[in-house]
Structures are given as structure tokens and as C-alpha cells.
Amino acid sequence: MDSIQNTPQDMLEAQRRQARIDLAAAHRLAVLDDYHEAIDNHFTLLVPGRPRRFYLNEFGLHWNEVTASNLIEVAFDGTVVEGRGPADRSAICIHAPIHEATGAACVLHTHMPYCTALSQLEDMTVEMTGQGALQFEGRIAYDYDYNGFAHEHAEGERMAALMGDKVVLMMANHGVVVIGDTVAQAYRRLYFLERSCRTQLFSMWTGQRRRFVAPEVLEKMREQAGWKDPTMAMGASDYYFAAMKRMLDRTQPDYAE
């Protein structure tokens, strides 16, 4: 009979394995959802039990090639401590300061089409005109100072300071950063943010007067957001991400290798 893995080290290794699987799944889903730019953009996740280190996609791999085992482990100073590398410089300079300042386990940065299109407008406000957007009321920071490629930690520190306690950073002329306590939470936020930007732009393109959600309803939604359904074994983010991984298990199971 196989021995049961229950030592602290065994448990930690299991957590690291699951972390790699979840982050690899997010890369594959980003390809299916058209949130990627082939080998560019970056998703990171803190390494369980190893402070100031995160998992990162190896630069040069198409996101459809990312697997749990080929993710690299990178220190906040940019040193690749495990895996083949290389690590994208912008990923280090953006993600390390945001992980450090916000305490977020997962940081997702993309140039996904509709968020990025909105970021190219003079006013890139994500407006409260659709139900999917309402979860972001008061939770989005805006960076209107595009400074080119982020090749210095100071640029990431500037972004992190702008984020404060927000979970989304809209980046002028650039794209978006979304954070979460887990990959599931961060990716579901990314999903709904892109859909919110898409429907907002669609409604703007009609040229018709648009209907905004009333302030009292926004307040009601904030109160409802904290409600937990006692019949549910997991939160909505976990249900969503589990369903997405089951789809990957059927269609491209190598992501978990």
C-alpha cells in the first residue's frame, strides 16, 4: 500500500504542484479566450513556502506550450532559481513590486483586446452599465502615465502604489493588471473584466444614450457581494476555474504535465 503523504514537506510539495497546474491552466485558458499575445504578457503566482519567489512562464514559449513543469521559478530580484528561463524583464519589474506591495498571490498582466482598446481612449473608465462590471465598482485603479517598457523596478513600484487596495489596474495605452488571492480568483476577475469592457464598447458604438446603474443599486450590490451561499461547497471563482480545468482535462491534458 502506498504511504500517505502527510508530512509538512509532502504537503508543501503538493501545494507547489497544484500551484503550477493552476498557473499553467490559466495560460492555456488565455489562449482559448484570446487574452494573450503569443509569447508576450505574463502571469505569475507566488511559490508556496518560498518567500519572494514566483512562478512565471518561460519567455519564448507560446502560451499554448506552457505546462506545469516548464514554468520557471524566479526571485523578486529577477534571478531564475529553478527551470530553464529566460525570465522576461518586464515581468520581473512589474510583478515583483505588485506582489510585494499588495500581498497578492497571483498577478495577471495582459494586453487583451477589449480592455486594451478601452485603455487607448482618453477616458478609459470601466463604466457601471452592465451587471458583470458591477463587481468592480470602487475596485479599479487607473494609470494614465504610460512610460514605455517596464525595465526598472521603479516602474512596477509606481504601478503598485497606484493600485493601493484595488484589484485591477487599467494601464493607459497598454493593457491591464488583475490580482487575486488565488489563480482562480484572479482569472475569473480577468474574464469578467474583459467581458465588461467588450459590452461597454459595443454599447458605446451604437451611438445611443446609455443606461447607468443607479447609485442605490450599486450600494445594494456591494452588500450582496459579501453573501455566502450556505449550500455551496466552494466560492464562485473556484467553481468557475474547476469547470475550466475540466474542459482542459478533456481537450489538452498536457497542461498539467
Side-chain angles (χ1 to χ4, degrees):
M1 180 180 296
D2 294 334
S3 61
I4 298 175
Q5 294 188 345
N6 57 8
T7 70
Q9 186 59 37
D10 288 336
M11 294 173 65
L12 200 53
E13 289 301 324
Q15 291 172 5
R16 290 172 184 158
R17 174 64 182 159
Q18 189 61 56
R20 284 178 170 273
I21 290 172
D22 287 350
L23 192 59
H27 285 83
R28 297 297 185 92
L29 291 172
V31 175
L32 296 175
D33 290 331
D34 192 26
Y35 295 171
H36 70 116
E37 290 189 318
I39 67 170
D40 293 304
N41 302 170
H42 9 86
F43 289 178
T44 56
L45 179 64
L46 294 180
V47 179
R50 291 177 179 162
R52 299 177 61 79
R53 293 188 186 182
F54 54 76
Y55 294 123
L56 171 68
N57 48 303
E58 175 190 341
F59 186 72
L61 289 181
H62 190 281
W63 281 26
N64 202 44
E65 299 177 290
V66 174
T67 67
S69 59
N70 66 28
L71 289 166
I72 59 177
E73 187 173 324
V74 184
F76 279 12
D77 66 2
T79 304
V80 177
V81 294
E82 187 174 303
R84 293 181 300 175
D88 181 70
R89 180 67 183 171
S90 292
I92 297 161
C93 293
I94 292 174
H95 289 242
I98 292 176
H99 276 297
E100 189 161 35
T102 67
C106 186
V107 177
L108 310 180
H109 168 54
T110 78
H111 304 165
M112 53 191 186
Y114 293 99
C115 279
T116 305
L118 190 60
S119 82
Q120 295 171 21
L121 301 182
E122 185 173 341
D123 180 0
M124 60 176 172
T125 303
V126 178
E127 296 173 340
M128 299 298 108
T129 53
Q131 179 170 292
L134 301 186
Q135 64 186 287
F136 299 112
E137 167 67 8
R139 309 185 80 191
I140 302 176
Y142 294 88
D143 178 9
Y144 281 96
D145 297 317
Y146 177 65
N147 292 317
F149 294 122
H151 286 170
E152 302 295 334
H153 273 74
E155 180 63 6
E157 291 165 358
R158 185 187 68 81
M159 294 177 185
L162 284 173
M163 288 194 76
D165 62 352
K166 305 296 192 292
V167 300
V168 173
L169 179 65
M170 289 289 291
M171 307 160 71
N173 311 104
H174 191 172
V176 65
V177 168
V178 175
I179 64 173
D181 295 329
T182 63
V183 177
Q185 184 184 64
Y187 196 88
R188 185 170 182 267
R189 285 172 176 167
L190 196 74
Y191 173 81
F192 275 103
L193 182 68
E194 177 72 342
R195 292 184 69 87
S196 299
C197 290
R198 181 173 71 173
T199 56
Q200 177 179 325
L201 288 169
F202 284 174
S203 67
M204 292 168 67
W205 292 336
T206 67
Q208 302 296 309
R209 292 183 63 184
R210 298 168 59 240
R211 185 186 301 276
F212 289 78
V213 176
E216 58 269 23
V217 177
L218 291 177
E219 182 59 35
K220 179 182 178 181
M221 292 288 287
R222 277 192 287 269
E223 295 173 359
Q224 290 177 329
W227 181 73
K228 305 295 184 184
D229 188 336
T231 68
M232 300 292 183
M234 301 186 294
S237 295
D238 295 315
Y239 276 112
Y240 164 80
F241 203 61
M244 296 299 100
K245 287 192 292 184
R246 288 195 300 272
M247 178 185 66
L248 291 177
D249 290 340
R250 292 190 298 270
T251 60
Q252 42 185 301
D254 65 308
Y255 82 94
E257 294 177 355

